[in-house]
Amino acid sequence: MLHLKLSFHDYISIFVHQTDLTLTNHIKNRLAPYNLAPEQNLIMMLLWEKDGLNQSEIAEELNKEKSNIARMIFNLEQKGFIWRESIKNDRRSLRVYLTDEGKKLGNHVIPLTEEFNELVCQGISNEELMEVRRILSKMCANVQ
């Protein structure tokens, strides 16, 4: 019989993963009425902050493969939330813009996202949040 060095519950990576699943499932349910998946919402949040990003900028900001971003952008375009425009002199590069419907969607989803962030951070001080960010950044750096 094999033995783990640590107990299942002692692996911090498993705890972080389970926390992410819990948070993602909660926001997934909140976004469902708006026909928006959590990962698609990340793209929309970037565009609500700065419209007209190109696909590479979005991929870099979200730390995702360009092919995954392209697929999500295609789906958001099919839903009528965004539109793409080719950049002159570079046919491979596209800028992504919000449609009027995508802008209106922000009126509903941005407050929901802010409420979710408040819920997640409830009872946690700014110092503790900064420590969480610092530690999670270290963990990411350890595996990169």
Side-chain angles (χ1 to χ4, degrees):
M1 183 145 141
L2 298 173
H3 291 283
L4 295 171
K5 186 175 178 186
L6 300 172
S7 160
F8 177 85
H9 296 286
D10 291 331
Y11 285 91
I12 193 66
S13 58
I14 292 171
F15 182 76
V16 169
H17 176 66
Q18 289 175 329
T19 302
D20 178 54
L21 287 175
T22 300
L23 298 179
T24 300
N25 284 334
H26 181 89
I27 198 66
K28 180 180 178 185
N29 291 331
R30 298 287 310 272
L31 291 171
Y34 303 101
N35 192 23
L36 200 58
E39 293 228 318
Q40 293 172 339
N41 187 49
L42 297 177
I43 293 174
M44 295 300 291
M45 287 175 68
L46 289 174
L47 295 173
W48 289 322
E49 194 171 282
K50 184 180 180 206
D51 203 7
L53 295 171
N54 69 41
Q55 286 186 209
S56 296
E57 292 168 326
I58 293 169
E60 188 176 315
E61 191 70 37
L62 297 180
N63 197 24
K64 297 261 183 215
E65 296 287 325
K66 287 181 188 177
S67 59
N68 289 342
I69 295 299
R71 190 176 331 103
M72 286 190 283
I73 287 172
F74 176 79
N75 289 332
L76 287 168
E77 189 175 34
Q78 294 297 303
K79 292 176 182 187
F81 298 148
I82 62 169
W83 62 279
R84 298 178 285 176
E85 179 180 62
S86 294
I87 298 172
K88 291 180 178 114
N89 304 327
D90 187 358
R91 289 185 13 207
R92 294 172 300 157
S93 200
L94 297 168
R95 289 223 174 264
V96 181
Y97 297 95
L98 296 165
T99 62
D100 287 341
E101 190 176 340
K103 291 174 186 173
K104 286 181 202 164
L105 182 68
N107 295 327
H108 302 284
V109 175
I110 291 170
L112 184 151
T113 303
E114 290 172 354
E115 288 170 21
F116 178 62
N117 190 60
E118 287 175 21
L119 174 64
V120 169
C121 297
Q122 196 171 21
I124 303 171
S125 71
N126 284 337
E127 293 77 19
E128 288 172 317
L129 289 172
M130 285 173 35
E131 184 71 358
V132 168
R133 285 179 186 270
R134 188 184 68 75
I135 292 168
L136 291 174
S137 294
K138 272 181 142 176
M139 289 178 177
C140 285
N142 287 342
V143 297
Q144 286 177 339

